[in-house]
Amino acid sequence: VATGLQLAAGVGAMLVAFVSVEAWADAAFSWWWGLVGQPDWTLTGALGVGMSPVAWLTGVPFEDCSRVGRLIGLKTVLNEFVAYLELTKMRADGELSDKAVVLSTYILCGFTNFTSIGVQLAGLGMLAPARRRELSELALSALCCGFMACYSTACIAGLLVAG
């Protein structure tokens, strides 16, 4: 029971830490770009631009790619729950087409984010301390494989969803 409680407390603390770091990084990024006259540029906006090609390759309509790219970036840096909350807001505000909402749902499904890597390393490391090094070597590969699985599913949905 004590190990389970320690693990749950560690996961909770890690989630709070990741959200806090992302908020700080977003503010710092905005401040930095504000010095050159672009205060509206944020880290999540940059992630949106960077992940737009991935969104487009899955079949998201071009006009929605930057917003879906932002969701992918949020999911990768924070977690899928934060990204789904943002997707809900975007859908309610009518910012995304129906096809983009469906494909975003598939893209965001899965634990392919840095928070999950931290949880994996902390949790499994507590259960198998002798294999921590081996687990850390596999973590990035697991993240990449998870990405490919989610995006493959979204690509298939992109072929099947009219839009």
Side-chain angles (χ1 to χ4, degrees):
V1 174
T3 304
L5 290 175
Q6 287 175 333
L7 181 60
V11 168
M14 201 172 315
L15 288 174
V16 169
F18 268 97
V19 171
S20 300
V21 167
E22 191 276 332
W24 173 84
D26 220 16
F29 200 86
S30 181
W31 172 81
W32 175 259
W33 283 104
L35 293 176
V36 294
Q38 299 295 331
D40 295 334
W41 289 9
T42 61
L43 178 61
T44 52
L47 290 170
V49 171
M51 298 303 277
S52 292
V54 174
W56 182 75
L57 287 172
T58 58
V60 172
F62 183 76
E63 60 272 6
D64 295 327
C65 284
S66 65
R67 288 183 288 278
V68 174
R70 182 174 181 271
L71 293 173
I72 297 169
L74 279 174
K75 175 206 176 195
T76 304
V77 173
L78 294 176
N79 63 35
E80 62 282 353
F81 302 115
V82 175
Y84 275 124
L85 287 174
E86 187 67 24
L87 174 62
T88 303
K89 289 179 198 172
M90 287 180 178
R91 183 177 182 208
D93 294 342
E95 296 179 30
L96 294 173
S97 65
D98 290 339
K99 184 172 184 175
V101 171
V102 170
L103 295 180
S104 296
T105 303
Y106 283 104
I107 293 169
L108 300 178
C109 184
F111 298 104
T112 52
N113 53 59
F114 295 114
T115 308
S116 293
I117 287 180
V119 170
Q120 171 191 350
L121 292 176
L124 294 176
M126 285 177 63
L127 298 175
R131 300 186 74 184
R132 280 188 180 153
R133 184 168 192 266
E134 190 178 345
L135 291 169
S136 64
E137 290 173 358
L138 293 173
L140 195 56
S141 296
L143 180 72
C144 292
C145 290
F147 273 134
M148 290 189 296
C150 289
Y151 297 136
S152 297
T153 303
C155 287
I156 292 169
L159 292 172
L160 300 175
V161 174

